[in-house]
Amino acid sequence: MSIATIDPSTGQLLKSFDEMTDRQVEEVLARAAVGFDTLRTTTFADRARWMTAAADLLEVERDDVARMMTTEMGKTYASAKAEVTKCAMGCRYYAAHAERFLADEPADAAAIGAVQAYSRYHPMGPVLAVMPWNFPLWQVLRFAAPALMAGNVGLLKHASNVPQTALYLDELFRRAGFPAGAFQALMIESSAVERVLADPRVRAATLTGSEGAGRSVAAIAGQHIKKTVLELGGSDPFVVMPSADVERAAEVAAVARCQNNGQSCIAAKRFIVHTEVFDAFTDAFVARMSALRMGDPMAEETDIGPLATERGRAEVEEQVQDAVRQGARVLCGGQRPDRAGWWYPPTVVTELTPAMRMYAEEVFGPVAALHRVSSYDEAIELANGTNFGLGSNAWTRDPAEQERFATDLDAGMVFINGMTTSYPELPFGGVGNSGYGRELSAQGIREFCNLKAVWVG
Ligand code: NDP
């Protein structure tokens, strides 16, 4: 795919961009190396001041940035504005806490014959961030805020369909006061990633995206013995047990499935409902999914806009058609509207079998898979029955059952009686084919640090 902004609500090409030449890429890498030498010698207070200035810029420019994101990938303007606000909050969070998260950690010196012993965090250097289009600002800020606060520099290879957002980010940190080379966008296609990652000046990589992209980047990084963090999506379970507040669960379920037009790695995708509350939940859930208003993503009344890419819409459509061909039942949606752009309506599919693609694959659109189970054990078996393990949800008012879910759900995150959300205060990441490593929280800032042991005799 070439680097271009295509409005997903019309399919119209708005602007295309040239890929950087080898020489331009070299200039970026050289600036990153020099930028690292400068940034690593700055203080936490300097970096916190610049990071706070970045947050201020985001807040002032929120509406324009949000409009750009909506135009590039189709999320509703309201959700785009919320995303910008969240990014500013993430910047402020790391500006306030980075120094504490990276403070020296004393060890028991006497026990190892030392006068002094401790661990110290050092930045690693330029980190390549291969990022997706679905939260085009937040996915990047989630990496950049902790990385820059630690003294690392960032190299962004953004998804090819959000180039204007990439260029905005390229300027943001410089405008906020960070030294030249602290954060730069590489306008390259994915085929050029290998060369950048192999470059000795690049010390590590983080990728958010598909399993295929993750495997490729991790393999290249492995060859060069460079650390990676991978966040590769999931097929999160949303379990509803008999003691749940079923109405509330159904209300949240529709939001959790359709947030960001259904294109979120932590969207609830498989709804696993106990037979005692199955009919009540299904009626309420289908009513809420059917009531979502699909339309112009800029309009205030719109709940759901188009999917971001034509290929993404085709994939979702094929997954639903495959299930229907094999006997699944569609309770609402399931037919793409006859209009320009990449629309797909909120859809609920039930009576699924393991032979159907939707049963275990991630569906990156507003399509819910609905399952009936008759026990806790059956719910857990189904919930844990994919290769993914990113987020998970369980709805139950029984405290003992809440405890069991927290332990038994095989995932990086468990949310009880609420939908999975990323918070700077909590680690974010998955297990299995959802990837490894953690973003956000203290863990997130430490991922790209060299933890040096110091022993003084
Ligand atoms: P991709 O994984 O293809 O894209 C994510 C990023 O990785 C983009 O910057 C892309 O660049 C880059 N990329 C893709 N392939 C490679 C590669 N071989 N080497 C290096 N970089 C690469 O996601 P898609 O947009 O194609 O979406 C496909 C599926 O991925 C979705 O249906 C969903 O299942 C999953 N996904 C998960 C996301 C998440 O939040 N975890 C986000 C987006 C997608 P370029 O755009 O230039 O190809």
Side-chain angles (χ1 to χ4, degrees):
M1 202 218 292
S2 58
I3 303 173
T5 298
I6 299 173
D7 182 349
S9 68
T10 60
Q12 240 189 333
L13 171 68
L14 299 181
K15 202 167 178 186
S16 51
F17 296 78
D18 289 332
E19 191 174 5
M20 282 179 165
T21 61
D22 288 355
R23 194 192 170 126
Q24 287 171 316
V25 171
E26 170 53 34
E27 284 166 8
V28 169
L29 292 175
R31 262 197 304 276
V34 173
F36 178 54
D37 285 342
T38 308
L39 193 64
R40 68 192 309 184
T41 62
T42 59
T43 63
F44 279 106
D46 290 333
R47 301 198 289 272
R49 201 171 60 250
W50 300 326
M51 194 54 74
T52 304
D56 292 343
L57 285 171
L58 287 166
E59 279 163 357
V60 169
E61 295 164 5
R62 183 195 71 167
D63 293 2
D64 289 342
V65 179
R67 201 169 297 112
M68 176 176 68
M69 290 197 286
T70 297
T71 305
E72 292 209 295
M73 51 68 66
K75 68 168 61 209
T76 62
Y77 183 47
S79 65
K81 284 189 285 191
E83 181 173 338
V84 181
T85 301
K86 182 170 181 169
C87 288
M89 186 188 73
C91 291
R92 292 190 198 289
Y93 179 79
Y94 279 104
H97 299 293
E99 186 165 12
R100 180 169 59 85
F101 291 155
L102 300 182
D104 289 351
E105 290 177 3
D108 184 351
I112 51 175
V115 176
Q116 232 189 326
Y118 55 91
S119 306
R120 173 166 290 176
Y121 292 96
H122 290 281
M124 293 174 95
V127 182
L128 174 66
V130 181
M131 289 289 140
W133 43 263
N134 59 342
F135 292 91
L137 205 67
W138 171 242
Q139 303 274 25
V140 179
L141 261 297
R142 191 163 75 186
F143 152 72
L148 296 187
M149 282 307 300
N152 289 307
V153 309
L155 290 164
L156 169 65
K157 183 275 177 271
H158 217 327
S160 297
N161 57 330
V162 288
Q164 297 188 48
T165 310
L167 290 172
Y168 175 79
L169 285 158
D170 178 80
E171 290 172 0
L172 176 70
F173 294 102
R174 202 169 34 247
R175 289 164 60 217
F178 277 94
F183 191 87
Q184 302 174 85
L186 283 161
M187 303 299 277
I188 53 172
E189 293 184 18
S190 54
S191 53
V193 163
E194 176 159 13
R195 193 160 40 85
V196 173
L197 191 47
D199 190 286
R201 289 166 291 193
V202 176
R203 299 309 316 146
T206 181
L207 179 138
T208 300
S210 61
E211 273 180 76
R215 278 181 213 283
S216 169
V217 164
I220 298 162
Q223 270 182 332
H224 298 276
I225 317 189
K226 292 180 185 178
K227 175 154 185 187
T228 49
V229 167
L230 300 181
E231 201 275 88
L232 307 178
S235 189
D236 288 5
F238 185 107
V239 181
V240 185
M241 295 301 284
S243 70
D245 177 342
V246 172
E247 272 299 322
R248 176 80 188 131
E251 183 187 345
V252 174
V255 177
R257 177 55 283 205
C258 293
Q259 59 171 324
N260 213 38
N261 306 341
Q263 304 158 118
S264 170
C265 47
I266 51 167
K269 293 174 182 131
R270 297 176 299 130
F271 297 82
I272 298 167
V273 185
H274 196 281
T275 190
E276 280 178 32
V277 288
F278 185 83
D279 291 344
F281 176 85
T282 301
D283 290 348
F285 181 46
V286 171
R288 293 209 177 254
M289 291 286 278
S290 311
L292 292 172
R293 286 157 305 194
M294 187 167 76
D296 176 6
M298 283 303 295
E300 221 168 271
E301 66 276 10
T302 296
D303 298 307
I304 185 156
L307 299 191
T309 66
E310 188 170 22
R311 187 162 58 92
R313 200 263 302 264
E315 182 76 359
V316 168
E317 197 171 30
E318 278 164 30
Q319 285 168 310
V320 173
Q321 284 171 355
D322 162 76
V324 169
R325 264 196 311 274
Q326 298 189 65
R329 207 150 58 87
V330 175
L331 302 183
C332 66
Q335 294 288 337
R336 70 147 100 158
D338 184 18
R339 62 192 277 191
W342 303 311
W343 304 88
Y344 201 83
T347 297
V348 180
V349 183
T350 193
E351 294 172 24
L352 294 147
T353 66
M356 300 169 185
R357 289 182 56 192
M358 266 187 70
Y359 192 86
E361 285 180 13
E362 175 172 38
V363 183
F364 224 55
V367 177
L370 180 63
H371 300 268
R372 184 197 291 264
V373 290
S374 51
S375 68
Y376 175 89
D377 290 344
E378 203 186 328
I380 285 290
E381 194 182 334
L382 194 52
N384 291 343
T386 73
N387 293 327
F388 294 111
L390 189 59
S392 57
N393 302 262
W395 288 74
T396 167
R397 284 187 280 206
D398 174 347
E401 214 170 53
Q402 292 173 357
E403 263 301 311
R404 291 182 74 192
F405 274 117
T407 302
D408 294 344
L409 282 167
D410 199 6
M413 297 166 278
V414 177
F415 280 65
I416 310 278
N417 298 334
M419 65 184 248
T420 307
T421 308
S422 59
Y423 295 105
E425 293 80 1
L426 280 174
F428 185 93
V431 296
N433 288 8
S434 292
Y436 50 75
R438 290 294 177 267
E439 299 190 273
L440 300 176
S441 75
Q443 278 75 11
I445 195 168
R446 292 173 183 156
E447 287 283 4
F448 294 116
C449 287
N450 164 23
L451 181 58
K452 185 190 281 174
V454 181
W455 186 100
V456 184

